[in-house]
Amino acid sequence: MPKRADFVIGSERVAAGTRRTVHVPVSVLSDHTPVAMSVSVTHGRLDGPTVFISAGIHGDEVIGAEIVRRVLRSPSLGALKGTLIVVPIVNTYGFLNHSRYLPDRRDLNRMFPGSKAGSLASRLAHIFMTEIVARCDLGIDLHSAAIHRTNYPQIRVSPDNPDMLDLAKVFGAPIIMKSPVREGSLRGAAKDLGIDVLLFEAGEGLRFDEFSVRSGVAGILRVLRHKGMVAGKGIAKVKATPQFCPSSKWLRAPTGGLLRTFRADGDLVREGELMASVSDPFGETDNDIIAPFNGIIVGRAVMPIVNEGDAVFHLARVKSVTKAEDMVEDLNTQLNDDPMFDEDEII
């Protein structure tokens, strides 16, 4: 059998059957410090798909870096077929500054496909598209909520892509949400190249949480198994069909004050149920937030101080609360029962 050709990225070559960390030059800071995008390339001995996993497009969304760290430590990758490209931190600038944005105050996920001669954000988007995305058959992009908010683990897919809906079910996050592609997003630019991207949302900005990390790691390994890139040993199949939510709505604070939440992310609520209350500091007034329809809380604010109009709960519609409760309980139990990938660590 002829040896598989080297994988070339930037100015580096990765031989078949090896893994290398490659540093793709991005720019030079004002003090002349060079900035690079660090990329892990696992190039299997045998042919197969080429898949990228990206995290940290928003610099304050750090949970993706922990998810891919655990994926790269998985024994399943030892006999990988195809090529896995992992970028734990796309937006190095924002990551170092604990910021969502780049130094030019632009949101990287609104700058794709970018331009070789554009702004700093546009140039980084261009490098990521040409060096990473354009080489792949599929992508998995990892995100979390912004600072002071948290997301229940969920996969977001385009409403007009049944193949990605099927792959989202394989991933096995508790929630699948229909989400249109935004202009300038990585998902949109990749789609223009004919490359599908699964978007995973989980957790809080600048924070780790074990449940969200486990959901991301398990989902990625299931997708790799489904694509024939890794063996199935040690990778648990999904025990329940994820809950599909066709639409959602942000519930906002009716007034400014102190927020007391009575329901958590992942909770099922029925129309008319009390979800939270906003009170003034003197305890003289209470303004309740009531569920406007049957749904599951897929995101919420974690700050107890709100201004009028602040987003408090992200509520996704469900057809049957009873059926959704059974599904969520099964998936939650499975994720909590799965062994930790790093048993000596507590996050």
Side-chain angles (χ1 to χ4, degrees):
M1 181 180 295
K3 183 180 178 181
R4 194 176 181 213
D6 293 350
F7 187 86
V8 180
I9 179 170
S11 60
E12 304 288 338
R13 307 180 72 90
V14 183
T18 67
R19 176 189 293 175
R20 285 192 60 188
T21 299
V22 176
H23 306 289
V24 178
V26 174
S27 70
V28 177
L29 297 180
S30 55
D31 66 351
H32 208 63
T33 301
V35 177
M37 182 171 62
S38 297
V39 183
S40 171
V41 179
T42 305
H43 191 43
R45 293 185 183 277
L46 301 178
D47 288 335
T50 300
V51 173
F52 78 82
I53 306 172
S54 56
I57 281 181
H58 296 128
D60 60 349
E61 298 179 0
V62 300
I63 196 168
E66 173 61 12
I67 291 172
V68 298
R69 184 189 72 82
R70 295 195 193 186
V71 169
L72 289 172
R73 289 168 61 94
S74 170
S76 300
L77 300 189
L80 181 83
K81 295 179 181 178
T83 304
L84 181 65
I85 305 173
V86 176
V87 187
I89 305 163
V90 179
N91 178 3
T92 303
Y93 308 94
F95 187 85
L96 292 175
N97 292 310
H98 304 166
S99 169
R100 182 179 183 86
Y101 306 105
L102 281 95
D104 59 6
R105 294 299 302 163
R106 286 179 168 88
D107 182 335
L108 181 58
N109 211 27
R110 298 293 178 269
M111 301 303 297
F112 290 98
S115 168
K116 190 175 182 179
S119 66
L120 177 61
S122 184
R123 294 179 188 215
L124 177 56
H126 173 76
I127 291 170
F128 189 75
M129 288 297 297
T130 54
E131 293 288 351
I132 307 298
V133 179
R135 302 167 179 265
C136 295
D137 305 300
L138 173 72
I140 303 174
D141 190 26
L142 308 177
H143 288 263
S144 77
I147 299 173
H148 305 319
R149 291 180 187 165
T150 188
N151 281 334
Y152 191 64
Q154 59 199 254
I155 286 285
R156 298 184 181 180
V157 296
S158 302
D160 58 348
N161 195 330
D163 292 337
M164 291 305 283
L165 177 58
D166 290 340
L167 199 58
K169 294 176 182 177
V170 170
F171 192 102
I175 305 296
I176 300 174
M177 297 187 64
K178 186 166 63 175
S179 174
V181 174
R182 291 178 178 267
E183 184 178 357
S185 68
L186 169 60
R187 218 165 29 124
K191 183 179 180 180
D192 291 340
L193 295 179
I195 301 162
D196 289 323
V197 176
L198 280 176
L199 174 60
F200 178 67
E201 287 270 3
E204 180 184 351
L206 298 179
R207 298 288 185 272
F208 291 166
D209 79 83
E210 184 61 27
F211 182 76
S212 293
V213 171
R214 290 189 185 199
S215 180
V217 173
I220 290 170
L221 293 177
R222 289 183 188 122
V223 169
L224 297 181
R225 179 189 63 191
H226 180 76
K227 302 298 289 186
M229 298 176 69
V230 299
K233 184 179 180 181
I235 301 175
K237 293 183 179 180
V238 183
K239 294 182 179 178
T241 302
Q243 175 65 46
F244 177 72
C245 300
S247 63
S248 63
K249 180 180 180 179
W250 272 102
L251 310 183
R252 298 183 177 274
T255 185
L258 305 180
L259 174 69
R260 292 175 294 127
T261 56
F262 308 128
R263 307 307 296 263
D265 41 304
D267 280 359
L268 274 296
V269 296
R270 289 177 168 81
E271 182 179 349
E273 285 188 358
L274 176 64
M275 299 178 66
S277 185
V278 181
S279 307
D280 72 277
F282 304 100
E284 296 175 351
T285 61
D286 289 296
N287 290 273
D288 294 337
I289 299 175
I290 304 297
F293 50 80
N294 294 342
I296 183 169
I297 300 171
V298 295
R300 66 179 179 87
V302 296
M303 277 282 286
I305 303 167
V306 295
N307 293 307
E308 183 175 345
D310 282 355
V312 176
F313 289 108
H314 191 191
L315 188 64
R317 294 182 185 272
V318 297
K319 291 183 178 180
S320 169
V321 172
T322 302
K323 290 182 179 179
E325 283 176 337
D326 293 339
M327 175 280 304
V328 170
E329 183 178 356
D330 287 345
L331 289 174
N332 286 356
T333 299
Q334 181 178 10
L335 285 170
N336 286 322
D337 286 348
D338 280 346
M340 293 182 66
F341 281 81
D342 294 297
E343 295 181 356
D344 58 335
E345 295 183 12
I346 299 176
I347 296 178

